[in-house]
Amino acid sequence: MDMRSPACHHCGEPLPAVPVLAEFKGAQRAFCCGGCAGAARFIEQSGLGDYYKLREEQGRRVGEEAQDYSAFDRDDVLAEHSRVPAEAPDCRELTLIVDGMRCAACSWLIDRALGTLDGVEDVQSNAISGRVRLRWRPAQLRLSSALERLAGLGYAPHLSPGEGLERARAAERRQLLLRLGVAGLGSLQAMMFAEALYLDFANQMAPATRDFFRWITFGVSAPVVFYAGWPFLAGMVSEFRQRRLGMDTLIGSSVLLAYFASLVETLRGGAHVWFDAAVMFVFFLLVARYLERMARQRANAAVDALAQARPALAWKLDAEDAAVQVPVAALAVGDRVRVPVGEALPADGVLDMPAAEIDEALLSGESTPVAKRAGDEVYAGSVARLQPLQLRITRTGQDTRLSHLTQLVERAQNARPRVAQIADRVAGHFVAALLVSAAWTFAVWWQIHPERAFEVMLAVLVVSCPCALSLAIPAALATAGNTLTKLGALPLRGDALSDLAEVDTVLLDKTGTLTTGSPQIARVELLRDLDAEAVNRIAAALERDAGHPLARAFAGLDAPRAEAIEVTAGAGVAGDVEGRSWRIGHAGFAAGLDRDLPGVWLGDGARAFARFELVDAPRSDAREAIAALTAQGLRVEVLSGDAPEAVEATARALGIARWSARATPESKLARLRELQAQGHRVLMLGDGINDAPVLGGADVSIALACGAPMAHRAADIVLSGERLMRLPQVVQLARRTRRMIRENLAWALVYNAIALPFAAAGWVTPWIAALGMAGSSLLVTLNALRLGRSAAWTLPDTATMQAPTSAEATR
């Protein structure tokens, strides 16, 4: 047996004490489970053993129990998620979202594994976007059989609900690749024939032979100019209609000038033609655009995963607790649902069982399952782990937190960042200046050397095309957006990253932000004639729908329904419980006492009935995150509505010198305005309703995904997960993105400053100008793609950073 590695041969995970042994390629291999052994056996028997040579990452572990996919053969499911192609009426076609497909070897294996099934007409997998396009004949093959084969290989398949969007994206991708292929083939042929003309140094080629090569080049260039280059020509027409000058105007006019001037020279037997310059110009520009599109596609893939995380079906429980499978769209608020192990939650709800562990990796990026108790909120897109879940639905469809975040992110992606708009305006002025320079160059050369005037003018137009200038910012922002999603940060405003790079001060909420937001009742002090059970019931009834992190301390307690609930931000909650008016919150609000008295008070507005002492531990990485922010040169301050004793203790524990307690939404906003008036650029991080005003007023605002929806609407970025270390990582990424944009803009300007004089002097031919321009565009695009490397956003070891010593606390 091969014992060189203690890891599973298929997925690479550590082997259990008693591994599964199986024969593979003449040697006995060790596997972590029977599922991985079965996957490896199928790969070998199908002649696909090269998968293990090609793959770049370990495979995905296969569960011991196979999931039942038979429900996906239902007519209502197929009608919603697939379509009948017009060209193949006996087939159906759909897009699958596949977990675990991360490299070319995975894509290769999936194509071949599904392609061997009888009834499969076509399979196209894309490792970049994690999608598989499947066309099959339902009369020969059930969809569940294809899904079971995928799952058997360790790739968890999900149905994509946005079939129309998927088809549009697939059509766009195919068209771009086809244009790129036509441009590449045409450029290669045109350069081959042009080379024969260039080698005629002594002008000894017979005119008939010369014209033959020129007409052949004319023919192979036409598809490149008018098909592959059509996006630029259409863009030029659009810019003309809008009466503005842009990059497409310069590209389209240069290509058409080169092409038709070459045609004129061919007809009149002139000395020079420039077909090769026109086609190379188009080809290299399409390559640059394709690289930029790949960056955008990677950024969109993570966001699409949010919208497509919900399952297609759910197990609804009836009055007798019998489970009936129904489409997710049929669920309503109040329904009880059972979620099998390994499946995603279909809607938001509350846990209707004593305890469970839930994987919220899609929403938070955290790989560790989260422990939940009865009454805790759970969200659509999360996955049941270890045991089946039972929940009661509270929000469905577009009302779920998953849909809410997706809508905010999509709105941000549709907005064009301010810095990109500025670059477009600069490029427009640059184009105008370049056209004037080209005309001046033509006039000068017409006086000096008329035969070369057009050629030199064309070289000036091509070599100085501001393509690199126009690509510098979009490429960097697209790659940075992809990296943000890897960090678990969802940008909700296009300018959020550029503004974040400028901040010098960070304001932090305490409860639910610096702390876990899961307070526990440490002690109940009874002040009047109510017992502990009674005050707990009243407090739980008031806090049940308050939406504040403190409400979690009372979750799970038996409580009646409160009426006429009113939340006073920064003060507390008022309402009627069993016909009597109660208040819970600060001492002044709840009982008319001194506002700064510690604890959470229960009263009727004039008298105190009980005082709760709550404890809320800081997040595990809060001190490390504060140290990292300080090391980045940021000033950190806490603004909290909690009591001074609690705020001071948390600030001291985390090494924060500046803090404010009993802060109302108005006082938080006033402090923010004070800092801004002093010239500071302020970042605010919060999670509650009372943070919404200061989030809206900050230069950059970040809300936690676990916070209130109102905080999300006021925020520029939503930070998912429980780790605060993502905050300094996002700040670092913003600063790196700013530096990358500056590098790209500097290179674009320096290149044009150097290339333009050389072209105007006649030292650069049009085809070399096209090569130089394209090289410049590719350089800025590849430079921007460096932001996607993990080294671009991994912070130094903050364990070696020294947190600031706790100075005398200031108010």
Side-chain angles (χ1 to χ4, degrees), residues 97-113:
I97 312 286
V98 178
D99 291 344
M101 181 170 60
R102 299 186 179 90
C103 67
C106 297
S107 177
W108 177 85
L109 176 62
I110 289 172
D111 284 348
R112 283 153 182 78

Side-chain angles (χ1 to χ4, degrees), residues 554-736:
F554 303 94
L557 296 179
D558 182 29
R561 175 66 62 181
E563 305 292 339
I565 289 290
E566 292 184 6
V567 178
T568 302
V573 183
D576 297 337
V577 181
E578 296 178 336
R580 186 172 177 180
S581 296
W582 293 97
R583 292 186 176 194
I584 186 171
H586 296 160
F589 173 81
L593 302 174
D594 182 357
R595 177 178 172 81
D596 285 335
L597 289 175
V600 176
W601 294 74
L602 177 68
D604 59 7
R607 298 174 297 170
F609 283 78
R611 185 177 71 89
F612 300 91
E613 290 184 7
L614 305 180
V615 292
D616 191 7
R619 295 184 186 271
S620 59
D621 64 341
R623 184 177 179 86
E624 185 183 8
I626 298 303
L629 291 170
T630 304
Q632 290 173 334
L634 296 171
R635 165 194 173 116
V636 181
E637 184 174 339
V638 177
L639 298 180
S640 175
D642 209 346
E645 295 80 4
V647 179
E648 181 181 14
T650 301
R652 182 182 295 112
L654 301 180
I656 302 174
R658 303 177 184 86
W659 56 271
S660 297
R662 295 301 191 199
T664 64
E666 294 79 11
S667 64
K668 289 183 177 183
L669 186 58
R671 177 57 179 161
L672 170 71
R673 297 304 187 202
E674 179 185 351
L675 290 169
Q676 290 175 329
Q678 296 170 2
H680 293 289
R681 303 280 293 176
V682 184
L683 161 67
M684 175 66 195
L685 175 68
D687 73 315
I689 295 175
N690 61 330
D691 295 321
V694 69
L695 285 169
D699 296 290
V700 183
S701 54
I702 299 181
L704 298 180
C706 58
M710 186 178 294
H712 296 165
R713 287 192 289 270
D716 301 320
I717 297 173
V718 170
L719 197 65
S720 60
E722 301 295 327
R723 295 192 303 113
L724 278 182
M725 274 303 295
R726 293 179 180 183
L727 180 59
Q729 287 177 334
V730 169
V731 171
Q732 184 189 46
L733 174 64
R735 292 178 174 180
R736 288 182 181 272

